[in-house]
Amino acid sequence: MQIPQVVLVTMIDSTCPEVKEDIRLVYRSALIKKKMDTCRHHLKVPMTNIFPVKNYHEEIDLDNDIDVLLLSALTHILNLANDHVAGAESTTRQVPKTRRNPDDGWI
């Protein structure tokens, strides 16, 4: 089983002026979608595993809209990891086979 890969597309405010003005437009931006599609193409990662986020690099105070993007990405990453671990456990956990051998007892 292959470990799922995730891409965080950072500094989206530098990519798209509309997103710089209003971070809530991130999933409506054609420029951001184009960047995500480029990542998908070059890295062979599914689009559902690519998350656009904005870095805190000029802000002094916290911003709920930035936090929502970051926390949403983190939630998806943790869910992917949890699903991967659960899938790995179910494939490696095997029920021992026992049968009765009249000569030797249990094997």
Side-chain angles (χ1 to χ4, degrees), residues 9-29 32 36 51-57 59 61-72:
V9 180
T10 61
M11 299 186 68
I12 56 174
D13 53 324
S14 300
T15 302
C16 180
E18 289 86 19
V19 171
K20 186 172 187 167
E21 293 297 318
D22 186 1
I23 195 75
R24 292 175 287 181
L25 299 176
V26 66
Y27 288 107
R28 296 180 189 161
S29 168
I32 300 296
M36 291 171 65
F51 305 101
V53 295
K54 182 181 183 311
N55 299 36
Y56 274 107
H57 58 94
E59 296 76 17
D61 296 322
L62 294 177
D63 182 337
N64 288 339
D65 294 329
I66 297 172
D67 293 344
V68 165
L69 279 178
L70 292 167
L71 292 173
S72 175

Side-chain angles (χ1 to χ4, degrees), residues 4 6 75-87:
V6 188
T75 300
H76 285 286
I77 292 168
L78 291 173
N79 287 336
L80 279 169
N82 189 36
D83 292 346
H84 176 72
V85 169

Side-chain angles (χ1 to χ4, degrees), residues 27-40:
Y27 288 107
R28 296 180 189 161
S29 168
L31 290 172
I32 300 296
K33 176 152 178 11
K34 184 177 178 183
K35 287 286 185 186
M36 291 171 65
D37 196 47
T38 300
C39 288
R40 180 191 60 79

Side-chain angles (χ1 to χ4, degrees), residues 83-96:
D83 292 346
H84 176 72
V85 169
E89 286 177 355
S90 68
T91 59
T92 59
R93 191 180 301 169
Q94 297 177 359
V95 178

